[in-house]
Structures are given as structure tokens and as C-alpha cells.
Amino acid sequence: MSDTPPASPDSPGFDEMTRDIAEVPAVEVIVTVAVNLMSAAAVKLGLTEEGDKYKDLDEARKLIHALAGLLDGSATEISSFHAAPLRDGLKSLQLAFREASLVPDEPGHGPGEKYTGPIYG
């Protein structure tokens, strides 16, 4: 038996959510995912008001690498209007990671640098 209560008439059902997702342009989905990755990476880098409370460089590395891969893979699919600020945000996160690391990676070996090229900081 499931502990999940049945959906109420006021909550959206699967079919309704599927229709909502179907109406969202792919560029908007890509940008939303990128912004979520950026936000999560900033938290894991300790760049929020809480500072070091949630800092975890291993987790930040994974998020930054995923963001770089997403931006590299979608570069031809999204316009420079969308891509340019995302690339700037990625570079800022890469630089913040390099500054936060006690033993910085060699240029070209930091998170996401496989996709972006070396970051010097």
C-alpha cells in the first residue's frame, strides 16, 4: 500500500503537466536547466549568504562540469542571446572554483574545462 495520498481535484494531473511541458520551447527548458545548475554550483562553492555552510567543492565540480557539457552540447541550438550570459556565468563559476580550491587544478583540467578550454585565474 502506498503512503502517497490520491491526487486532489485541485492538483495538476500527469496529463495536464505533460501538456504544460509540451508547450514550453526547448530553448526555455535548456536555459532553465542551465540556470538551475549554475545556482546549485554557486551554493556548493559557498557563494551564497550562508557561505561555507553548504560548501562542497566535489559537488560543485560535478555541477560545473555538467553545466559546461550542457552549454557545449546546446551551443548550436540556442541563440547567442541566451548562450552568452550562460557562458559568462559558467566562466565566473570556474574562476570561483579555482580560487576556492586549496590545490588548484592545472589549467585545462578544472571542472568543465574539457568543454571550454583552460581557465586561468
Side-chain angles (χ1 to χ4, degrees):
M1 206 168 190
S2 174
D3 292 336
T4 307
S8 72
D10 296 332
S11 65
F14 182 76
D15 291 338
E16 185 177 329
M17 288 189 302
T18 301
R19 278 193 303 275
D20 290 344
I21 291 170
E23 295 171 4
V24 178
V27 170
E28 191 173 327
V29 173
I30 293 167
V31 170
T32 300
V33 170
V35 169
N36 285 331
L37 287 168
M38 291 174 78
S39 298
V43 169
K44 296 297 184 177
L45 285 170
L47 301 177
T48 61
E49 289 181 12
E50 292 87 11
D52 289 343
K53 182 176 180 182
Y54 301 109
K55 189 172 183 177
D56 184 335
L57 294 183
D58 185 50
E59 291 290 301
R61 176 185 295 277
K62 293 171 188 171
L63 293 162
I64 294 168
H65 191 76
L67 174 62
L70 174 65
L71 295 182
D72 183 60
S74 63
T76 59
E77 306 302 324
I78 61 176
S79 67
S80 60
F81 174 79
H82 294 291
L86 294 173
R87 282 192 303 265
D88 290 345
L90 170 60
K91 185 174 182 177
S92 295
L93 290 169
Q94 289 172 311
L95 287 169
F97 183 91
R98 187 166 290 285
E99 291 173 9
S101 297
L102 295 176
V103 181
D105 297 314
E106 291 292 320
H109 296 282
E113 293 181 26
K114 167 184 174 179
Y115 301 107
T116 64
I119 301 292
Y120 300 93

